[in-house]
Amino acid sequence: MKAATTLLQISKILSLSPSTVSRALKNHPDISPVTRQKVLDLAKQLEYEPNLNAVGLRTSNTKEIAVIVPNLSGFFYGSFISAVEEEARRAGYSTIILLSGDDPLVEIENLKICRQRRVQGVLACLSARTASIEAFTRLKKVEISVVFFDKVPSDADEITVRVGDEEAAAVAADYLISKKKKNVLSLFADVNMSITNRRLTTFRQIFSSRSLQQNYFVEHATSSEAAEHALMHAWKSSHRPDAVFCMSDEILIGVMKAVHRLDIKYPGELGIIAISNGFFPNLYYPEITFVETSGYKLGQLAFKRMVLEFEGKTAPRDVALKAELIEKGSL
Amino acid sequence: MKAATTLLQISKILSLSPSTVSRALKNHPDISPVTRQKVLDLAKQLEYEPNLNAVGLRTSNTKEIAVIVPNLSGFFYGSFISAVEEEARRAGYSTIILLSGDDPLVEIENLKICRQRRVQGVLACLSARTASIEAFTRLKKVEISVVFFDKVPSDADEITVRVGDEEAAAVAADYLISKKKKNVLSLFADVNMSITNRRLTTFRQIFSSRSLQQNYFVEHATSSEAAEHALMHAWKSSHRPDAVFCMSDEILIGVMKAVHRLDIKYPGELGIIAISNGFFPNLYYPEITFVETSGYKLGQLAFKRMVLEFEGKTAPRDVALKAELIEKGSL
DNA sequence: ATGAAAGCGCTAACAC
DNA sequence: GTGTTAGCGCTTTCAT
């Protein structure tokens, strides 16, 4: 139970100065091969690992980034984080993960932690109930870069990386039209979220511009249960839909429960399409046709965008991941 | 774009010494209320946040822990991490997350990062291909506590926290027997995993000790697809099962696909029970009866166990989470 | 009740 | 090619 080896210890054993050891360890060209080797050997033998707290303090280069997500109870954020962690590790960064629980107060607390740790960047997905992003923007004052992802603020000044909401909604709407659906139950999430609005707006545009006789009716479901009931209600109404569009996995899950509950046959009686990360559509039989919005790809994109910011390079402030239709036969 | 406020800056502005400011900030009793208030006010105004790199360096108390998991592509680890992060934050710790991708080499690299960050503890789930835990045990030499969870080493000396596999299997078997099932298709994962063996052994014991006339037949499915086909095959055979037991979520998912594919009515034609984290059983209608092995609860347990270790308190080296039957009506 | 001083482990001018 | 030195921001004796 002793503390870890330090640079000073190595330097003393070898009768060298700390600076020489430091340089040897990072292959500085000034150091003679023979000295370098001696240092490297001893370092390995003593299991020397640099104290990143000291390095971070000295260089203000902590090589740490933080990811703030609302939760981990879906596949989207998990795959996002996987991608970030992978890319980050490759680039020598550690990833600290912070959950907001969709609580703006916890979000603020998380940002405090980011300051305290002197992380170099924050990848943030806004909580559903965040009213102001002021606490985020203030981070820039202390040289912490902020890249928003997925649930991004509408503020055009911010760096954002998100799935191509407009495109995804357009692809789905196009497909519904091409399949000649006449009466599409269109389930969207909370109307106050910008992601909902972007998807909804485009969805409406496509329908009104491309189709004259095809109908859709929009409902907002803020939970799986709400989506489940929305479909059950519509199914029993006089205006039974011939297709359902699900804006998210959460909504798809509710819809599928209703489908099984009412024993609805799809695609026969009802066509189903969703915007999804791709995991849940694969859970059902038949599998569900969906427009893919990959959390993994988004994570890669987000980290790379953040690094560009670190390097001070100019890059687009708003990046959207392109959407892809995956046909599975449910519509 | 200036650096963050430091303690020294505050001390200069108020013409106080750094030590006084430091004490005021942490409510040291020696400090006069008047001074304390002045410091607190200015700190708030300047958005002062202590530099945890400096604190960690000074006190060797980094208040950081690491969690190593194979992946985030299921709900189990996600909920485990959620619990850990919550508990950790409450206790003033940050959680850095490290993915091994089931690769022992990456695992080693992750442990190096733990050393470099001088984390105080590591919560580790072994990768499926880890042959030796030596690199883990060596961490203790530098005062880093290690608590294994879920996939734990068989070494009895290690601190482990896991779900009660034996109990979970027993509860499921008991329930199947009490429901008078005569022909139970029992689906287990890879026979080489210790988790599979613990569950299978107990399952067999319960059936042979408690029931004389009730039958079960075991099959091993190493993927969702394999489970799907196992049920389809059994269903069409001359020995059609009247119940199916799923050892894991992965297997349950495959089973449910087969159920929908063959349009099997449950619980009428087939009873279904699973050992699960609790998310997937809730996805279907009717919902699936399961024996709960909560990743969330396990996370809470693991963190608390680690804190006990930090405090040098004695506690059991091997903790198993108790299993609970959640009846949903699918059997 | 407050201050002075040392030092945690490392890096980076600047010397030689 | 190697050493000296100062200092990153903080805590913590030990004085006063």
Side-chain angles (χ1 to χ4, degrees):
Chain A
M1 282 297 185
K2 57 179 187 298
T5 307
T6 70
L7 213 156
L8 190 67
Q9 291 173 16
I10 296 186
S11 76
K12 280 186 178 151
I13 294 176
L14 297 177
S15 304
L16 288 169
S17 77
S19 43
T20 303
V21 176
S22 172
R23 285 186 276 239
L25 253 12
K26 39 176 63 72
N27 292 328
H28 190 97
D30 276 2
I31 302 300
S32 78
V34 76
T35 306
R36 185 199 332 286
Q37 202 50 52
K38 271 199 293 197
V39 170
L40 256 30
D41 287 347
L42 187 59
K44 168 161 277 182
Q45 192 196 320
L46 297 180
E47 301 190 87
Y48 171 77
E49 294 293 345
N51 183 331
L52 258 32
N53 286 302
V55 176
L57 179 59
R58 176 64 232 251
T59 64
S60 7
N61 214 248
T62 57
K63 288 282 186 179
E64 243 180 348
I65 62 165
V67 179
I68 306 182
V69 293
N71 55 62
L72 284 176
S73 58
F75 278 88
F76 189 78
Y77 299 125
S79 56
F80 180 90
I81 290 170
S82 300
V84 170
E85 200 275 342
E86 247 173 66
E87 296 286 330
R89 186 157 39 73
R90 204 170 302 159
Y93 289 81
S94 299
T95 307
I96 108 168
I97 142 140
L98 270 4
L99 306 178
S100 72
D102 269 323
D103 182 342
L105 263 54
V106 176
E107 215 167 38
I108 299 285
E109 211 191 320
N110 285 338
L111 294 181
K112 222 155 95 175
I113 294 171
C114 292
R115 285 169 175 270
Q116 297 179 345
R117 296 260 166 229
R118 301 297 192 265
V119 300
Q120 300 186 237
V122 176
L123 297 174
C125 170
L126 294 180
S127 91
R129 304 194 330 256
T130 302
S132 158
I133 59 161
E134 203 225 329
F136 287 92
T137 54
R138 261 185 294 140
L139 286 185
K140 288 181 224 151
K141 299 236 170 86
V142 289
E143 295 182 297
I144 299 178
S145 311
V146 180
V147 171
F148 292 96
F149 71 92
D150 198 44
K151 312 269 174 52
V152 306
S154 36
D155 193 326
D157 286 349
E158 300 305 323
I159 299 175
T160 60
V161 175
R162 56 187 178 82
V163 297
D165 293 307
E166 295 81 359
E167 194 194 357
V171 169
D174 273 337
Y175 194 66
L176 282 160
I177 291 169
S178 74
K179 286 287 181 175
K180 311 245 184 293
K181 294 300 174 182
K182 300 286 181 239
N183 194 25
V184 180
L185 173 60
S186 308
L187 295 174
F188 286 83
D190 188 346
V191 71
N192 292 317
M193 288 164 41
S194 69
I195 184 175
T196 302
N197 274 318
R198 281 196 301 275
R199 293 180 180 189
L200 179 51
T201 305
T202 312
F203 192 85
R204 286 194 194 282
Q205 277 170 0
I206 298 287
F207 260 91
S208 51
S209 70
R210 283 226 17 220
S211 168
L212 302 169
Q213 315 90 333
Q214 293 170 282
N215 255 320
Y216 66 97
F217 49 113
V218 169
E219 299 222 8
H220 289 276
T222 53
S223 68
S224 285
E225 289 68 33
E228 183 180 351
H229 290 120
L231 175 54
M232 291 204 296
H233 186 260
W235 192 253
K236 289 170 181 163
S237 75
S238 55
H239 249 61
R240 179 174 285 194
D242 59 354
V244 56
F245 164 79
C246 309
M247 187 199 102
S248 67
D249 277 320
E250 197 179 10
I251 288 175
L252 173 64
I253 287 168
V255 162
M256 292 311 292
K257 265 182 118 165
V259 163
H260 291 136
R261 197 157 171 175
L262 301 176
D263 203 19
I264 299 171
K265 303 299 177 197
Y266 67 93
E269 298 179 309
L270 181 75
I272 305 176
I273 188 168
I275 296 181
S276 165
N277 192 19
F279 182 86
F280 289 102
N282 180 47
L283 240 46
Y284 304 98
Y285 187 91
E287 295 179 1
I288 309 300
T289 291
F290 65 99
V291 183
E292 188 188 30
T293 60
S294 161
Y296 194 85
K297 283 184 197 158
L298 194 68
Q300 295 181 317
L301 208 58
F303 182 76
K304 283 178 184 151
R305 182 62 187 84
M306 169 149 283
V307 170
L308 286 179
E309 198 60 19
F310 289 163
E311 294 168 345
K313 296 198 177 133
T314 49
R317 301 202 82 67
D318 183 25
V319 181
L321 199 63
K322 87 183 219 323
E324 195 181 348
L325 178 72
I326 313 286
E327 291 195 65
K328 293 287 191 173
S330 67
L331 189 152
Chain B
M1 282 296 187
K2 58 181 184 300
T5 307
T6 70
L7 213 155
L8 190 68
Q9 290 173 17
I10 295 187
S11 77
K12 280 186 179 153
I13 295 176
L14 297 177
S15 304
L16 289 169
S17 76
S19 38
T20 304
V21 175
S22 172
R23 284 185 277 240
L25 251 12
K26 41 177 58 72
N27 292 327
H28 190 99
D30 276 1
I31 302 300
S32 78
V34 149
T35 307
R36 186 198 330 288
Q37 201 51 51
K38 271 199 293 196
V39 170
L40 256 31
D41 287 347
L42 187 60
K44 169 160 276 182
Q45 191 195 322
L46 297 181
E47 302 190 86
Y48 171 77
E49 295 293 345
N51 183 332
L52 291 190
N53 286 303
V55 176
L57 179 58
R58 177 63 231 254
T59 64
S60 4
N61 214 249
T62 57
K63 288 283 186 178
E64 244 181 347
I65 61 165
V67 179
I68 306 183
V69 293
N71 56 63
L72 283 176
S73 59
F75 279 88
F76 189 78
Y77 298 125
S79 56
F80 180 90
I81 291 169
S82 300
V84 170
E85 199 275 340
E86 248 173 66
E87 295 285 330
R89 186 157 37 73
R90 203 169 302 159
Y93 289 81
S94 299
T95 307
I96 107 168
I97 140 139
L98 270 4
L99 306 178
S100 72
D102 269 322
D103 182 341
L105 263 55
V106 177
E107 215 167 38
I108 299 286
E109 210 191 320
N110 284 339
L111 294 181
K112 220 155 96 176
I113 294 172
C114 292
R115 285 169 175 270
Q116 297 180 346
R117 296 260 167 231
R118 301 295 192 266
V119 300
Q120 302 187 234
V122 177
L123 296 175
C125 172
L126 293 179
S127 91
R129 304 194 330 255
T130 302
S132 157
I133 60 161
E134 202 225 329
F136 288 92
T137 54
R138 261 186 294 137
L139 286 186
K140 289 181 222 150
K141 300 236 169 87
V142 288
E143 296 182 296
I144 298 178
S145 311
V146 181
V147 171
F148 293 96
F149 70 93
D150 198 44
K151 311 267 174 54
V152 306
S154 37
D155 193 326
D157 286 349
E158 300 305 324
I159 299 176
T160 60
V161 175
R162 56 185 179 83
V163 298
D165 293 307
E166 296 81 359
E167 194 195 356
V171 168
D174 273 337
Y175 194 66
L176 283 159
I177 291 169
S178 74
K179 286 288 182 176
K180 312 243 183 295
K181 294 301 173 182
K182 300 284 181 241
N183 195 24
V184 180
L185 173 60
S186 309
L187 296 174
F188 287 83
D190 188 346
V191 72
N192 291 317
M193 287 164 40
S194 68
I195 183 173
T196 303
N197 275 317
R198 280 196 301 273
R199 292 179 182 190
L200 179 52
T201 305
T202 311
F203 192 85
R204 284 194 196 282
Q205 277 170 0
I206 298 287
F207 260 92
S208 50
S209 69
R210 282 224 21 217
S211 169
L212 302 168
Q213 313 90 333
Q214 292 170 283
N215 255 320
Y216 67 95
F217 49 113
V218 169
E219 299 222 8
H220 289 276
T222 53
S223 68
S224 285
E225 288 69 32
E228 182 180 352
H229 289 120
L231 175 54
M232 291 204 297
H233 186 259
W235 193 252
K236 288 169 181 163
S237 77
S238 55
H239 249 60
R240 178 174 287 195
D242 59 354
V244 56
F245 163 80
C246 310
M247 187 198 101
S248 67
D249 276 321
E250 196 178 11
I251 287 175
L252 174 65
I253 287 167
V255 161
M256 292 310 293
K257 266 181 117 164
V259 163
H260 290 137
R261 197 156 171 177
L262 302 175
D263 204 19
I264 299 171
K265 303 301 179 196
Y266 68 94
E269 298 178 309
L270 182 75
I272 305 175
I273 188 169
I275 296 181
S276 165
N277 192 17
F279 182 86
F280 290 102
N282 180 46
L283 241 45
Y284 303 98
Y285 188 91
E287 296 179 358
I288 308 300
T289 292
F290 65 100
V291 183
E292 189 187 31
T293 62
S294 162
Y296 194 85
K297 283 184 196 159
L298 194 69
Q300 295 181 316
L301 208 58
F303 182 75
K304 283 177 185 152
R305 183 64 186 81
M306 167 149 283
V307 170
L308 287 179
E309 199 59 18
F310 288 164
E311 295 169 344
K313 298 202 177 129
T314 50
R317 299 201 84 67
D318 182 25
V319 181
L321 199 62
K322 84 184 222 323
E324 195 182 349
L325 179 72
I326 312 285
E327 291 195 63
K328 292 288 193 172
S330 68
L331 188 152

